[in-house]
Amino acid sequence: FARINPQARSSETAQWMGSIHFHQGRGAQAEALLREAVAGGSGESREFALIWLFLAAESQGGRGKAAVAEHLESVDPKKLTGAILRHFVGDNDQAALLRVASEKPDMERLNLAETHFFLGQRLLLQNQRAEALRAFQRVVDTGATPYREVTFAQLELRRAGR
């Protein structure tokens, strides 16, 4: 990462780097990179960066909601990314989130992989390890291998010895 020039990196690169720092337990570095990704990003990529920013800030003393508060109006709660973020800040329940994930039959498997992955990450932050591991297993069970969330879920399961 040290070789990637901060002035030359894209918001997508900053998001990837932030998510990796998050998985390595480096919340402060993750948060800084994800703030960069949000500031320079647009569209769905920016919305995923907001979800990761919430998680990174939440991992550092429960500051997730405050970290994304100024951006909430810009996300559409009818889209999956918006529904996940709104769920995290308490604006919708899990049933509503899963309804959004399941709305489009052709995308349901992929959407559920993403949804359960981020739910699992949030559950880990809430010290609900058993529930988190069940969520990660649901991600793997979708078989949505094109999505990095499946790989990350497999890593979480391996960390737990499964």
Side-chain angles (χ1 to χ4, degrees):
F1 288 154
R3 293 184 184 177
I4 299 175
N5 180 346
Q7 289 76 31
R9 70 177 162 229
S10 68
S11 59
E12 289 83 8
T13 301
Q15 179 185 338
W16 265 96
M17 290 171 66
S19 67
I20 291 168
H21 277 291
F22 175 80
H23 281 288
Q24 293 177 333
R26 291 181 270 197
Q29 294 94 329
E31 184 176 348
L33 285 159
L34 293 161
R35 286 186 184 281
E36 178 186 321
V38 168
S42 62
E44 189 175 70
S45 177
R46 180 178 180 273
E47 292 174 3
F48 275 110
L50 282 167
I51 294 168
W52 282 107
L53 174 59
F54 176 94
L55 292 169
E58 191 72 8
S59 74
Q60 298 176 85
R63 299 182 297 103
K65 188 172 184 176
V68 300
E70 69 181 283
H71 305 286
L72 284 176
E73 292 303 315
S74 70
V75 297
D76 183 354
K78 294 178 184 171
K79 289 175 47 183
L80 182 62
T81 50
I84 292 169
L85 196 58
R86 295 295 179 135
H87 176 68
F88 282 1
V89 300
D91 289 350
N92 67 16
D93 62 17
Q94 187 167 321
L97 171 56
L98 292 172
R99 275 193 301 279
V100 171
S102 300
E103 280 179 351
K104 297 178 182 173
D106 59 322
M107 290 296 295
E108 182 176 18
R109 179 176 63 95
L110 301 172
N111 287 345
L112 287 172
E114 290 176 329
T115 300
H116 286 298
F117 172 76
F118 287 114
L119 286 172
Q121 288 298 325
R122 179 73 193 277
L123 289 164
L124 279 180
L125 293 174
Q126 295 171 329
N127 294 315
Q128 296 180 38
R129 187 172 172 78
E131 281 297 315
L133 294 176
R134 281 192 280 281
F136 294 135
Q137 187 60 56
R138 286 185 196 106
V139 175
V140 173
D141 291 346
T142 67
T145 54
Y147 280 22
R148 67 181 170 179
E149 289 84 2
V150 173
T151 302
F152 285 155
Q154 290 169 330
L155 290 172
E156 293 292 354
L157 290 168
R158 279 190 211 122
R159 283 183 193 174
R162 291 189 176 187

